[in-house]
């Protein structure tokens, strides 16, 4: 995916241009697309190579220079990318990697008076902080790709086993550490019990351990802080009355491993149905009608992604139109493509990454108007 993104944006290098605009009066008017300048990028730890590439590609193809601050949990991948940049022959100063902690290195980027644009991927909480820094410094342009609590709707008209597999991968992919994970699984009432059994079966079979072993599907969480957050939210689900179908506990005392967990009988008011867990925890909710579930799916502060599993094209298109999310997947999930824009509604961010739309915030549009001599 990282290579795909870099190759895609490399192809844009000679295709970015302005327009000639017919205007009133004796004038010729055209626009120029110019690089915004120095780009500051702050990236998270969950997909370090991919998300760093999402910043590097559009910055370079638009003619900007880049100062990239990777997550403190995953600095080595970024430093290796820096070595590849040097090996490829980029001039010094075009791509700059500065590892460090958020309150120091990250804040230096977001507050810097000579950085013209800030692109941030991470939590909504930190997104607010960097936006404030940008506003209080030089009003630098900001794009944000933030958290999510994405709904996935399972309709009774679709093959149950296949639907369960899609929903399983939607939430357990990358140990559940995915901003657009389908972490609210809404299942139509008529198939709810059978779906829960299938979800439980898939989660129970998921092997956890050393991710370098071919048989292992789930490795550890990123660190103790994230593990503790998962444990605390899972405990809240138990306290609030959800049913633990499987999992629900840390594995052993060494490392940051957590059992693949499935909750049933989840209600909308529960914390596990509202807050981003960022771990291997599936919440399964029941619904009766499409109109009802669309309203419930949209009842969230987030709007990064959503999905529906159905054989009914009318249901699919109705959901796609009414869903308040930047990406809507039908009969699939987490299909993030280099050629298509990705980003969120509401508190899931602003601006877009990937695709042609991902270029816009790296460019300034300059309007040039020339007065033409008129002869009488």
């Amino acid at each position: 995916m990282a290579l795909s993104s870099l190759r895609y944006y490399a192809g844009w290098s000679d295709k970015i241009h302005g327009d000639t605009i017919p205007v009133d009066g004796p004038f010729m008017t055209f626009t120029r697309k110019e690089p915004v300048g120095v780009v500051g990028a702050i990236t998270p730890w969950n997909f370090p190579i991919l998300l760093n590439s999402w910043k590097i590609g559009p910055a370079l193809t638009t003619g900007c220079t880049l100062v990239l601050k990777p997550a403190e949990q995953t600095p080595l991948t970024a430093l290796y990318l820096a070595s590849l940049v040097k090996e490829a022959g980029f001039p010094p100063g075009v791509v700059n990697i500065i590892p460090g902690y958020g309150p120091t290195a990250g804040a230096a980027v977001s507050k810097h008076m000579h950085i013209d644009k800030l692109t941030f991927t991470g939590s909504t909480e930190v997104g607010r902080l960097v936006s404030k820094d940008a506003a209080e410094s030089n009003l630098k342009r900001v794009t944000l790709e933030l958290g999510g609590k994405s709904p996935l709707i399972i309709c009774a008209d679709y093959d149950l086993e296949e639907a369960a597999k899609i929903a399983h991968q939607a939430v357990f992919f990358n140990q559940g550490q995915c901003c657009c994970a389908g972490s609210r699984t809404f299942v139509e009432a008529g198939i709810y019990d059978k779906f829960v059994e299938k979800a439980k079966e898939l989660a129970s079979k998921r092997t956890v351990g050393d991710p370098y072993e071919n048989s292992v599907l789930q490795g550890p969480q990123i660190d103790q802080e994230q593990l503790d957050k998962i444990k605390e939210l899972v405990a809240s689900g138990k306290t609030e009355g959800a049913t633990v179908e499987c999992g629900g506990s840390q594995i052993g005392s060494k490392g940051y491993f957590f059992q693949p967990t499935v909750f049933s009988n989840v209600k909308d008011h529960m914390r596990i149905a509202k807050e981003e867990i960022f771990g291997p925890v599936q919440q399964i909710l029941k619904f009766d009608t499409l109109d009802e579930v669309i309203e419930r799916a949209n009842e969230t502060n987030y709007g990064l992604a959503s999905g529906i599993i159905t054989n009914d094209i009318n249901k699919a298109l109705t959901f796609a139109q009414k869903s308040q999310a930047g990406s809507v997947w039908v009969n699939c999930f987490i299909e993030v493509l280099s050629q298509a824009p990705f980003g969120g509604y509401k508190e899931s961010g602003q601006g877009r990454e990937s695709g042609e739309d991902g270029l816009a915030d790296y460019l300034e549009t300059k309007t040039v108007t020339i007065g033409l001599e008129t002869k009488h």
Side-chain angles (χ1 to χ4, degrees), residues 23-306:
V23 294
D24 297 333
F27 303 103
M28 176 183 178
T29 297
F30 62 92
T31 59
R32 289 174 48 85
K33 295 292 186 181
E34 299 181 352
V36 71
V38 181
V39 174
I42 302 174
T43 56
W45 45 260
N46 55 330
F47 296 100
I49 295 178
L50 175 63
L51 296 180
N52 288 335
S53 299
W54 277 14
K55 312 301 184 186
I56 293 171
L60 296 184
T61 203
T62 53
C64 299
T65 56
L66 181 71
V67 179
L68 189 150
K69 204 293 285 186
E72 55 263 34
Q73 297 91 338
T74 53
L76 298 183
T77 44
L79 291 173
Y80 188 72
L81 280 173
S83 73
L84 295 178
V85 166
K86 185 176 180 180
E87 182 182 329
F90 281 83
V94 173
V95 178
N96 310 274
I97 310 292
I98 51 165
Y101 292 99
T104 50
V109 171
S110 59
K111 294 178 179 179
H112 203 287
M113 295 298 292
H114 293 147
I115 287 179
D116 303 291
K117 170 198 160 49
L118 178 67
T119 171
F120 171 82
T121 301
S123 70
T124 299
E125 177 187 8
V126 178
R128 286 192 174 96
L129 294 176
V130 299
S131 294
K132 182 172 181 285
D133 288 344
E136 292 180 346
S137 53
N138 60 340
L139 274 176
K140 59 178 63 67
R141 185 180 300 177
V142 179
T143 53
L144 305 169
E145 197 265 278
L146 307 175
K149 192 68 178 177
S150 302
L152 175 58
I153 315 309
I154 311 296
C155 297
D157 59 53
Y158 201 83
D159 179 79
L160 178 67
E161 187 164 335
E162 183 62 24
K165 289 179 181 178
I166 294 171
H168 176 83
Q169 184 68 3
V171 69
F172 290 104
F173 174 64
N174 200 42
Q175 294 73 244
Q177 299 172 149
C178 181
C179 55
C180 58
S183 53
R184 289 186 294 151
T185 309
F186 290 91
V187 180
E188 196 166 348
I191 59 168
Y192 185 85
D193 292 339
K194 290 182 179 179
F195 184 93
V196 168
E197 283 301 311
K198 193 63 185 178
K200 175 182 176 180
E201 177 187 334
L202 290 170
S204 299
K205 290 180 178 178
R206 193 170 183 84
T207 52
V208 182
D210 183 349
Y212 288 102
E213 294 182 9
N214 291 334
S215 62
V216 169
L217 296 174
Q218 180 178 311
Q221 309 309 128
I222 183 65
D223 58 18
Q224 187 66 51
E225 181 181 357
Q226 185 60 30
L227 180 65
D228 289 343
K229 177 185 177 183
I230 294 167
K231 290 163 66 176
E232 193 266 332
L233 280 166
V234 166
S236 79
K238 297 174 183 177
T239 301
E240 291 183 321
T243 303
V244 180
E245 296 290 341
C246 64
S249 301
Q250 181 179 352
I251 299 174
S253 58
K254 184 178 180 181
Y256 310 125
F257 298 94
F258 198 85
Q259 293 175 328
T261 300
V262 174
F263 276 106
S264 64
N265 299 314
V266 179
K267 307 300 180 186
D268 294 342
H269 70 272
M270 296 178 180
R271 288 182 62 199
I272 58 172
K274 295 169 65 177
E275 298 181 30
E276 188 176 33
I277 300 175
F278 229 62
V281 184
Q282 184 176 27
Q283 297 78 241
I284 308 179
L285 304 92
K286 186 185 297 185
F287 77 92
D288 291 306
T289 69
L290 185 63
D291 286 342
E292 165 222 329
V293 77
I294 290 173
E295 183 176 350
R296 291 168 63 195
N298 287 335
E299 193 62 30
T300 173
N301 293 334
Y302 297 111
L304 189 56
S306 67

